């Protein structure tokens, strides 16, 4: 066999290897995502109080990594809230009200982003709904009618 035939043959072998490797990598990525969905849903379904904050922080970190390269509209807001949630869970005593507010907000955002997803729409919707139910909506502060009637906006002079 001539040298050029060996080069062509090894080139084809390399291309085949790359295709197989890429396919395995994609499948591994899909399997990793399936594991993330399952782990997160299991934690929510078992009751988040039963999940250690450090385990929760690890799961959040996994989701941050999964979304880091996403260019889907809404992903940056989810990443920001995931970062806030992770920081809360890494504290010695997380603020339960803040954690539940973040879970609710993440659930709402996840449900919205599910409509734009190419794959895993149903899983994202289910996750969004579960997060929303696990969290608590913290309504905006009600307007103080009395204060609005006589505002004290001017700066006090010394």
């Amino acid at each position: 066999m001539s040298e050029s035939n060996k080069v062509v043959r090894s080139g084809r072998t390399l291309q085949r290897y790359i295709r197989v490797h890429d396919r395995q990598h994609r499948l591994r990525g899909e399997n990793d995502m399936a594991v993330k969905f399952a782990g997160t849903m299991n934690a929510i379904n078992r009751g988040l109080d039963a999940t250690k904050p450090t385990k929760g922080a690890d799961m959040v970190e996994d989701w941050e990594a999964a979304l880091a390269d996403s260019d889907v509209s809404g992903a940056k807001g989810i990443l920001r809230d995931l970062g806030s949630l992770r920081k809360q869970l890494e504290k010695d005593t997380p603020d339960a009200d803040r954690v539940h507010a973040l879970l609710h907000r993440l659930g709402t955002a996840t449900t919205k982003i599910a409509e734009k997803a190419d794959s895993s729409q149903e899983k994202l919707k289910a996750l969004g709904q579960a997060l929303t139910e696990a969290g608590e909506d913290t309504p905006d502060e009600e307007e103080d009618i009395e204060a609005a009637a006589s505002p004290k906006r001017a700066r006090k002079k010394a």
Side-chain angles (χ1 to χ4, degrees), residues 99-112:
V99 168
H100 285 281
L102 286 165
L103 289 172
H104 188 274
R105 207 158 71 198
L106 282 164
T108 303
T110 301
T111 303
K112 285 180 186 175

Side-chain angles (χ1 to χ4, degrees), residues 17-28:
Y17 171 79
I18 291 171
R19 277 196 309 269
V20 169
H21 180 71
D22 285 348
R23 191 173 330 128
Q24 288 173 340
H25 185 69
R26 267 195 317 275
L27 290 174
R28 194 174 319 121

